[in-house]
Amino acid sequence: MTQSTGLPGLAAGYVPRPAAADDAAEITRLRSQFVLSEPLDEEWLGICRDQLASRLRPGGDARACVVDAPGGGLAACALALIHPVLSAPKYPRGLAARIHIVAIEPAHRRHALARAAVSTLLELLEREGVTLYELHASAEATPLYEEFGFARDPALMRMTRLPQARGGGAG
């Protein structure tokens, strides 16, 4: 008998669950293969895995929901990083979350796994008092996020600043 999740469109046999520190290696693999513009090398996979495992433990700032693949490993994941904001009427607990990763193995796509993982993650975050959510959406994923209530924000800007190498500049 297949467990019913109550999630619309979710294919039989797939059940989203909260992630544990033991899931960090698979979440990192999915991120590297299906989210980043260039896959991570083994050194960076290890760094990210260890960092994420620590952040998924109780007291950490990471929350994730995953869906196990029938043959082992993960079929899907959705990961959020929680951060504090100043409290306001819309943010009474002063908590925000950035949905950092939503990744689905290609063999498991078109089974509503992204919807199930994100829905379960949002429910988990809501129970913790998070009221502000942010994410970067691909054009393909935008309609799904809009169904959850996400809206475009033209004011959002982004920048990456890496430290400059020391001693290499002209005087």
Side-chain angles (χ1 to χ4, degrees):
M1 186 167 140
T2 304
Q3 181 177 355
S4 174
T5 62
L7 296 167
L10 184 62
Y14 293 105
V15 179
R17 62 171 175 83
D22 291 347
D23 294 308
E26 273 292 285
I27 293 169
T28 301
R29 179 189 65 79
L30 289 170
R31 173 181 178 245
S32 178
Q33 289 182 341
F34 305 113
V35 176
L36 299 178
S37 57
E38 293 181 21
L40 298 172
D41 64 23
E42 289 301 316
E43 179 182 7
W44 276 106
L45 281 169
I47 291 168
C48 291
R49 177 201 62 230
D50 295 346
Q51 186 184 84
L52 180 57
S54 175
R55 295 172 83 171
L56 282 170
R57 288 190 175 91
D61 66 341
R63 304 294 181 276
C65 290
V66 297
V67 179
D68 294 304
L74 295 180
C77 71
L79 168 76
L81 302 174
I82 298 173
H83 59 92
V85 296
L86 290 176
S87 295
K90 291 185 179 182
Y91 325 117
R93 298 260 330 261
L95 293 175
R98 177 173 185 258
I99 298 180
H100 191 65
I101 303 166
V102 177
I104 315 300
E105 275 280 358
H108 302 281
R109 292 185 181 158
R110 304 290 174 229
H111 296 294
L113 300 186
R115 179 182 315 283
V118 171
S119 176
T120 304
L121 179 62
L122 292 174
E123 290 171 9
L124 176 73
L125 292 166
E126 185 178 338
R127 286 193 301 269
E128 292 193 32
V130 174
T131 55
L132 175 63
Y133 302 89
E134 304 165 335
L135 59 76
H136 292 278
S138 67
E140 179 183 328
T142 296
L144 171 64
Y145 299 129
E146 287 174 340
E147 287 179 29
F148 284 113
F150 285 88
R152 294 186 187 278
D153 183 350
L156 184 63
M157 298 176 73
R158 184 177 183 178
M159 175 176 68
T160 300
R161 288 183 68 169
L162 299 174
Q164 294 182 359
R166 297 193 184 267

